[in-house]
Amino acid sequence: MYELSPDDKQKYLDELMQFLAIPSISADAKYKPDVAKAAQFVMQSIKNIGINDVKIYETTGHPIIFCQYLTNPELPTVLVYGHYDVQPAEPLELWHHPPFEPVIIDEKIYARGACDDKGQMYMHIKALQLMINHSEVPCNVKCIFEGEEEIGSENIAAFVHDHKEMLAADVVLISDTAMVANDIPSIDVGLRGITYLEVEVTGPNRDLHSGVYGGAVANPINALCHIISLLHDANKKVAIPGFYDDVLEVPDYERNMINSVPFSISQYTKDLEINEVCGEAGYTSIERTSIRPTLDVNGIWGGYMGEGSKTVLPSKAYAKISMRLVPNQNSEKILQLFINHIQNITPPYIKVKVNPMHGGEPYLMPTTSKAYRAAAMAYEKTFGKKPLATRGGGSVPIVSLFDKVLGAKSVLMGFGLDSDAIHSPNEHFGVYNYFKGIETIPYFYKYYTELT
């Protein structure tokens, strides 16, 4: 019913390649014009499929795009969310092709943002086009696309609060997650939340000669490394008092279901070129990356990092730290627990400052909901088998915001794979996955409307 013709496939692929060529890096101010260019591309793409009710809303950061295709007020309304901004591409030397010169190799599209989230976001525009071309849009559709997801969605919360009536919907549809495999479709029913921050450690008031002062004055890099070493215990559990107080224990039947997902530890370690896995004692690798909270250092720096040597005792050292949270944990509470703990373990010969950056709450969707059932039926229609219910390890903070402000649950219909190297060099997205998403999404609208 919604199969793509060869001509459509080539056209839709060409458009995505043009979209991926725009370096819409939200984290770097020098790319602000490119982020704006990407927003214009999205708006024009929406107009090109016959939706004229589309507008770009400027924010203090990057633009938000909203459009709607209303068929009948008596029918349900689906709100589609996605983001057109991407992560920085560094280290550039590890890419086998420039990150913003998309190429197709072995039926995979290589480019920054190919999977996260430009490719998956653009599937929704093309799925709408497919339905409009067939004169078969079974319900009302609204779309909101933002350009700040990769930096914590700094402006969208206020936008959602200010435009509740405009954004009102029965369900939110998002493609920013992954499936188990191309022959094993799956739907994420849970997401972890996140608390992200930067730690700044200060020693002396200036960089010092390490020969003259070394051994008498504290080195902030050494002190920071010591502090970080105290954030986990010997069993790899987070050592912050109270960190696990609100964690909901997952019942055995659900743990068994999670571990029923096909997973090869030998293939996993081979793919990552590691000798063995590492994580919290008492849990499998799948559980560690889905139902357990974590704390990771995402970056650490200080002192001299240029070519050659410079014998310096630095004045400052920094680390960026993220904590992934599970249902019932709260990002603000975890932030405060972290701050309290850091202050307690900081030695008196240095000063420490915690700079909060962004946060988001964890999310769970019941598999008994109409939205999940409609999504499962859609996957079964195009893949020929029922999807597995899985939990994702990543975070999509907007999900909890939609739930809280709009009262709308989200269904996560991802078509990427964990092996797509999102946030890493050589990010890619399967051509098969791109087209499969475009062909599957219309069935969600069909089945959701029939179930409502």
Side-chain angles (χ1 to χ4, degrees):
M1 178 174 162
Y2 292 113
E3 289 185 11
L4 292 168
S5 70
D7 287 345
D8 282 341
K9 286 184 175 182
Q10 189 59 56
K11 182 180 178 182
Y12 293 179
L13 190 57
D14 290 344
E15 290 177 21
L16 177 58
M17 300 292 268
Q18 294 174 41
F19 189 27
L20 293 173
I22 305 171
S24 50
I25 303 170
S26 55
D28 191 332
K30 71 182 179 185
Y31 290 100
K32 184 163 184 156
D34 295 295
V35 180
K37 182 180 178 181
Q40 289 290 335
F41 183 95
V42 172
M43 183 175 73
Q44 190 58 52
S45 296
I46 293 170
K47 288 183 176 180
N48 290 345
I49 69 173
I51 299 178
N52 294 315
D53 192 354
V54 56
K55 181 179 178 181
I56 288 181
Y57 291 82
E58 298 296 335
T59 73
T60 57
H62 300 299
I64 292 171
I65 305 140
F66 175 79
C67 74
Q68 56 186 358
Y69 189 92
L70 306 180
T71 58
N72 185 333
E74 301 300 317
L75 293 173
T77 298
V78 177
L79 175 65
V80 178
Y81 165 84
H83 66 91
Y84 63 89
D85 65 318
V86 301
Q87 284 274 327
E90 285 79 5
L92 298 177
E93 67 275 11
L94 296 184
W95 287 78
H96 54 56
H97 285 81
F100 297 104
E101 295 179 17
V103 294
I104 298 176
I105 302 172
D106 296 330
E107 291 301 302
K108 296 181 180 69
I109 308 163
Y110 284 85
R112 172 57 86 226
C115 180
D116 183 19
D117 182 44
K118 281 181 171 178
Q120 298 209 69
M121 189 207 88
Y122 207 66
M123 289 186 313
H124 286 277
I125 297 175
K126 296 296 100 178
L128 272 172
Q129 181 174 355
L130 193 59
M131 291 188 292
I132 291 171
N133 289 348
H134 284 76
S135 300
E136 294 175 353
V137 183
C139 60
N140 304 301
V141 182
K142 299 177 180 179
C143 300
I144 181 170
F145 300 129
E146 67 157 318
E148 297 182 345
E149 197 273 347
E150 298 293 5
I151 53 173
S153 300
E154 295 177 0
N155 286 287
I156 201 165
F159 184 88
V160 172
H161 278 281
D162 293 343
H163 298 85
K164 284 190 290 188
E165 290 187 12
M166 183 179 80
L167 296 170
D170 296 284
V171 67
V172 182
L173 177 58
I174 300 174
S175 295
D176 196 10
T177 51
M179 304 184 299
V180 173
N182 282 349
D183 60 346
I184 307 175
S186 60
I187 302 172
D188 274 350
V189 297
L191 293 167
R192 291 193 290 188
I194 189 171
T195 295
Y196 195 96
L197 52 87
E198 181 179 283
V199 176
E200 176 184 331
V201 172
T202 304
N205 60 5
R206 63 187 186 276
D207 288 358
L208 303 176
H209 188 293
S210 64
V212 175
Y213 291 94
V217 177
N219 184 320
I221 298 177
N222 294 352
L224 177 58
C225 291
H226 174 69
I227 289 171
I228 290 172
S229 74
L230 299 177
L231 296 178
H232 291 89
D233 65 17
N235 290 317
K236 302 295 188 292
K237 290 192 70 171
V238 178
I240 298 174
F243 185 82
Y244 293 93
D245 285 358
D246 298 324
V247 172
L248 294 177
E249 290 298 324
V250 178
D252 288 343
Y253 79 88
E254 188 172 351
R255 290 183 67 176
N256 292 335
M257 181 178 67
I258 289 170
N259 285 294
S260 70
V261 172
F263 179 78
S264 167
I265 196 71
S266 60
Q267 185 60 45
Y268 187 76
T269 54
K270 179 181 178 181
D271 177 60
L272 298 176
E273 297 184 5
I274 57 177
N275 293 328
E276 58 183 52
V277 295
C278 174
E280 183 183 359
Y283 295 90
T284 66
S285 292
I286 295 178
E287 291 173 329
R288 292 166 179 165
T289 57
S290 61
I291 63 172
R292 297 301 293 168
T294 61
L295 184 153
D296 285 291
V297 178
N298 304 130
I300 184 168
W301 70 99
Y304 180 68
M305 293 179 287
E307 186 175 348
S309 62
K310 181 181 181 183
T311 53
V312 62
L313 192 158
S315 171
K316 291 180 177 290
Y318 303 84
K320 291 186 185 295
I321 293 175
S322 65
M323 288 165 281
R324 299 286 177 171
L325 314 178
V326 295
N328 217 39
Q329 288 185 298
N330 175 270
S331 62
E332 286 293 329
K333 180 177 180 179
I334 293 298
L335 171 64
Q336 193 56 55
L337 290 174
F338 181 91
I339 292 172
N340 294 342
H341 184 57
I342 286 292
Q343 290 173 342
N344 288 335
I345 65 176
T346 296
Y349 42 75
I350 59 164
K351 296 182 286 289
V352 67
K353 179 181 179 183
V354 175
N355 302 308
M357 300 188 75
H358 63 82
E361 307 313 315
Y363 176 77
L364 268 180
M365 180 183 69
T367 57
T368 55
S369 70
K370 293 176 183 177
Y372 177 85
R373 287 159 55 201
M377 291 166 67
Y379 278 98
E380 186 173 5
K381 177 70 175 179
T382 57
F383 284 84
K385 60 176 68 175
K386 292 182 179 180
L388 299 175
T390 58
R391 288 208 200 180
S395 306
V396 184
I398 193 70
V399 169
S400 58
L401 178 71
F402 287 141
D403 193 3
K404 180 180 179 181
V405 180
L406 303 181
K409 297 292 184 181
S410 296
V411 59
L412 305 167
M413 294 184 67
F415 293 89
L417 301 174
D418 285 340
S419 58
D420 285 340
I422 63 173
H423 293 204
S424 300
N426 302 312
E427 178 182 352
H428 53 274
F429 188 39
V431 174
Y432 167 88
N433 304 70
Y434 177 55
F435 293 145
K436 205 68 171 178
I438 295 170
E439 293 175 340
T440 303
I441 290 166
Y443 286 105
F444 170 80
Y445 292 105
K446 170 180 166 59
Y447 295 136
Y448 183 73
T449 303
E450 292 174 356
L451 290 171
T452 301

